[in-house]
Amino acid sequence: MLTKLVQLAHCRSGDKGNTSNISVIAYHPEFYAPIKEQLSAEKFKNFYSGVIKGNVTRYNLDDLQMLNFVCEGALGGGVSRSLCLDNYGKSLSSRILSFKIDIDDNLEQLLQ
Amino acid sequence: MTIRIGSGSAWWGDRISPAKENADKGQLDYLCFETMAEATISAAQVRKRRDPIFPGYDTWLDDRMTAVLPGCIKNKTKIISNQGWINPNGAAERIVYWLRAMGVHGVKVAAINGSLITDDVLNLTDNILETGERTQALKNRIVSAEVYQGAEPIVQALKNGAQIVVTGRIADPSIFAAPMMFEYGWGMNDFMRLGLANGIGHLMECGAQVTGGYFADPGFKDIPRPWDLGFPIAEVDNDGTAIITKLEGTGGVINAMTIKEQLLYEVHDPYNYITPDVVVDFSTTRIREVAENRVMVSGISGKPRTPTLKVSIGCEEGFIGEDMFFYAGEGALQRAKLAESILRERFKLVELKAEELRIDYLGLNAIHGDMTPEVDHEPYEVAVRVAARTTTREEAMKIGREVDGMAVSGVGMTGKRVPHQDRTREIIGVWSSLIDRSKISPSIKMFES
């Protein structure tokens, strides 16, 4: 079944210069594998089309069931230069929560 | 043996009452304050240039210290704080002033200097990390340059008998790692323990972000009494484990989820998180909920530190002008769009020279910009927000001036704020470079109340 990431994982974004890092943390260990398999760095970048201008690198922390997406060129030139009202990009992580992931039907009862 | 280290602030604008609660009731050995963002030092330098009586330390120093000093003195809690900004000696003297005003004498306060290298930065650094250009390219635009120092000078100050240590720029995790290193005698070659100390420091440095702040999401992540978040307390053992907890009776929550979110906050490569003291490896972290609002964190590991320290270089990079005006009710979005087209024409008439111009509709696309999905409803309200980046203040002021024009010469039913003076601001761009550690020599100045 297709489900939005918001029911599978929670996120937080942080800023450094013009780079935003967005963590994706599975609510249950069972959700981690399908997220890791389906949410590649490339798909992540495409989902932020127009906002992330540089490379996206994904780091995997399998033991903790979480991913870290490091997004270069995502903060409009950096916190002090950005014309975006949310110049720290604190709200950027919420975007990925609408990404759709295909999960096994029997995981439905675990959905957040 | 366990030492209890509490958080007193996560940034300059942080709430003060949870720091006082930690000081009064936390039975703390240490209370630690983090009060700087990347541009804080540069902003302080700019302010000092304009306002010579600005003392150059945390503008909330009086409020924070008068709130926590009584509890800290009574409970023999030591304080470590980076509130010194560009004037650690001045901050230490001010703390001594407050101690004496409370009738407290004989308390040693250490100021740690040596992170400001504005005058020498071009000689001591090579390349800008973000662009690869030579730092020489920043010549004549530099407002401030400062090195991120590590825990060592704080540890030394504690060895000198300081009960309060106030610093300039210090890496945030080091503020919390220093007491562990001092109390347990962890040396600079004990990478595993330094990894743990800085990892725990990283979890603590953002205060309430690990106790339920920057976390709640209704229906998915609900937390109790979010208006009353406590600041975290770390109970650190010599064997390399820590319990992250908070005062009983405070709001918020500490669980595996809040720990995990904070673990990667502002981290890039979690296998190699570079601090001045050690390279932290978060991949080996073990997280266990042992009781309500008590999470055991262990296994964070470390590798030898790098031969360099990070330098932040703040530069003058022009100005931003911005303002906004409003529409509501029937046809609000259509009026906003007409207003935008009028403004764009007027910016041509006044020959606005902008590096970038951005016109957003708040409530529609102002936050997520170009990636915002199409909406299929008419918003009841729209705020039009206009911002431009320019090289001169005169150009930046054109934004507010043309928004003023929308009051009488604009679209029907336009709501507007009273013209205000802070519609332009100076941009201090921050660049990074690396510096050979051996070139930096911190100095400690001791004061006594």
Side-chain angles (χ1 to χ4, degrees):
Chain A
M1 61 183 285
L2 267 186
T3 177
K4 282 187 179 176
L5 188 67
V6 69
Q7 293 190 285
L8 306 174
H10 53 112
C11 300
R12 177 170 291 192
S13 43
D15 67 282
K16 258 198 174 64
N18 194 20
T19 301
S20 177
N21 84 287
I22 298 173
S23 59
V24 173
I25 303 158
Y27 280 118
H28 289 282
E30 293 85 341
F31 296 153
Y32 180 66
I35 296 170
K36 185 181 172 189
E37 190 186 303
Q38 295 169 52
L39 185 55
S40 64
E42 191 190 355
K43 283 189 179 152
F44 192 96
K45 182 177 169 173
N46 290 340
F47 209 67
Y48 284 78
S49 175
V51 171
I52 298 177
K53 316 268 190 194
N55 291 325
V56 174
T57 307
R58 188 181 86 175
Y59 295 94
N60 313 327
L61 292 178
D62 292 347
D63 292 342
L64 297 165
Q65 295 97 40
M66 55 194 204
L67 305 171
N68 193 31
F69 293 89
V70 179
C71 313
E72 295 168 33
L75 295 175
V79 167
S80 54
R81 300 174 194 95
S82 172
L83 293 187
C84 183
L85 266 178
D86 178 21
N87 55 331
Y88 286 87
K90 299 271 186 186
S91 72
L92 281 179
S93 59
S94 60
R95 168 69 178 154
I96 201 61
L97 295 177
S98 18
F99 187 87
K100 297 246 177 57
I101 301 274
D102 194 8
I103 57 159
D104 204 294
D105 286 352
N106 62 21
L107 293 178
E108 188 176 1
Q109 79 249 13
L110 293 177
L111 290 178
Q112 190 78 6
Chain B
M1 180 182 169
T2 296
I3 54 170
R4 289 171 64 83
I5 303 171
S7 156
S9 64
W11 72 294
W12 163 74
D14 212 342
R15 297 163 63 230
I16 292 176
S17 56
K20 179 172 164 49
E21 279 200 83
N22 267 356
D24 290 344
K25 301 179 213 157
Q27 297 170 307
L28 299 178
D29 298 297
Y30 290 85
L31 180 62
C32 298
F33 292 83
E34 202 291 281
T35 61
M36 283 197 233
E38 271 181 333
T40 300
I41 293 272
S42 300
Q45 301 278 29
V46 169
R47 178 159 172 196
K48 181 80 189 168
R49 264 194 325 216
R50 287 207 197 104
D51 174 12
I53 63 161
F54 170 55
Y57 48 75
D58 178 14
T59 55
W60 292 109
L61 182 116
D62 288 352
D63 304 72
R64 292 206 155 96
M65 285 300 137
T66 52
V68 304
L69 280 175
C72 287
I73 296 302
K74 177 167 169 272
N75 301 319
K76 296 189 167 49
T77 302
K78 293 177 184 172
I79 295 174
I80 299 176
S81 169
N82 69 1
Q83 287 168 289
W85 295 7
I86 59 174
N87 186 10
N89 292 339
E93 284 171 350
R94 187 67 178 167
I95 292 168
V96 165
Y97 164 84
W98 284 118
L99 287 166
R100 288 178 184 160
M102 291 169 194
V104 179
H105 298 280
V107 171
K108 287 183 176 166
V109 182
I112 292 175
N113 298 279
S115 71
L116 283 177
I117 56 161
T118 311
D119 295 337
D120 302 318
V121 66
L122 294 179
N123 298 326
L124 295 172
T125 57
D126 293 324
N127 296 325
I128 303 168
L129 291 180
E130 291 86 354
T131 63
E133 281 183 74
R134 306 280 297 173
T135 50
Q136 286 287 344
L138 303 174
K139 200 176 174 182
N140 302 325
R141 294 196 285 127
I142 297 177
V143 174
S144 184
E146 78 264 10
V147 177
Y148 282 75
Q149 300 197 71
E152 283 170 288
I154 303 176
V155 173
Q156 187 57 51
L158 293 169
K159 283 181 183 166
N160 294 356
Q163 285 139 285
I164 299 174
V165 182
V166 60
T167 77
R169 180 67 81 184
I170 295 264
D172 299 348
S174 301
I175 298 168
F176 294 84
M180 304 177 212
M181 294 162 65
F182 169 68
E183 293 288 339
Y184 293 135
W186 296 345
M188 291 314 293
N189 291 320
D190 192 348
F191 312 126
M192 293 307 281
R193 287 200 173 87
L194 291 191
L196 173 99
N198 279 272
I200 297 301
H202 169 72
L203 286 174
M204 296 289 291
E205 69 175 79
C206 290
Q209 283 197 182
V210 77
T211 64
Y214 192 38
F215 179 81
D217 196 2
F220 294 96
K221 294 182 291 175
D222 294 299
I223 64 165
R225 298 169 57 218
W227 55 88
D228 185 28
L229 298 177
F231 285 176
I233 295 168
E235 302 170 355
V236 186
D237 281 354
N238 193 15
D239 70 355
T241 60
I243 302 274
I244 308 294
T245 186
K246 63 186 183 70
L247 281 179
E248 206 151 313
T250 58
V253 67
I254 302 177
N255 58 27
M257 290 197 287
T258 67
I259 298 281
K260 282 181 173 181
E261 282 200 20
Q262 191 53 28
L263 197 70
L264 291 186
Y265 180 71
E266 291 180 347
V267 168
H268 290 177
D269 177 356
Y271 294 80
N272 295 287
Y273 179 68
I274 299 170
T275 79
D277 305 317
V278 69
V279 177
V280 182
D281 182 353
F282 287 114
S283 69
T284 50
T285 308
R286 288 188 299 277
I287 298 167
R288 195 155 65 87
E289 295 172 355
V290 291
E292 192 180 10
N293 295 319
R294 289 179 67 81
V295 178
M296 181 183 281
V297 178
S298 61
I300 300 174
S301 45
K303 307 171 206 176
R305 67 188 192 180
T306 62
T308 51
L309 293 171
K310 183 172 139 180
V311 181
S312 248
I313 309 172
C315 293
E316 291 172 342
E317 288 191 8
F319 298 84
I320 287 176
E322 67 175 326
D323 204 347
M324 62 173 84
F325 51 98
F326 317 99
Y327 297 96
E330 191 70 34
L333 183 57
Q334 293 312 312
R335 287 194 293 285
K337 285 180 176 170
L338 175 58
E340 175 179 352
S341 63
I342 292 172
L343 267 181
R344 287 191 184 275
E345 289 303 320
R346 291 204 179 134
F347 285 141
K348 285 183 206 160
L349 294 177
V350 298
E351 296 176 343
L352 171 69
K353 292 181 221 29
E355 294 168 9
E356 190 185 348
L357 170 66
R358 178 167 171 153
I359 300 181
D360 296 316
Y361 300 149
L362 258 84
L364 218 63
N365 64 1
I367 309 299
H368 279 180
D370 288 348
M371 68 181 176
T372 309
E374 288 290 326
V375 289
D376 50 8
H377 68 279
E378 278 280 307
Y380 189 81
E381 294 181 354
V382 181
V384 180
R385 186 252 184 181
V386 191
R389 191 170 58 245
T390 64
T391 51
T392 66
R393 193 181 287 277
E394 289 67 35
E395 288 300 313
M397 283 173 67
K398 289 179 181 175
I399 302 302
R401 290 296 295 128
E402 292 311 312
V403 167
D404 286 344
M406 297 305 287
V408 169
S409 308
V411 177
M413 295 167 276
T414 300
K416 230 183 75 52
R417 295 192 287 178
V418 173
H420 49 105
Q421 297 307 307
D422 58 352
R423 294 182 295 185
T424 62
R425 63 177 190 269
E426 200 171 338
I427 301 172
I428 306 294
V430 179
W431 301 100
S432 313
S433 189
L434 297 174
I435 190 170
D436 184 341
R437 287 176 182 273
S438 63
K439 300 284 199 291
I440 298 301
S441 44
S443 66
I444 301 170
K445 191 167 178 191
M446 300 295 290
F447 299 81
E448 190 168 332
S449 69

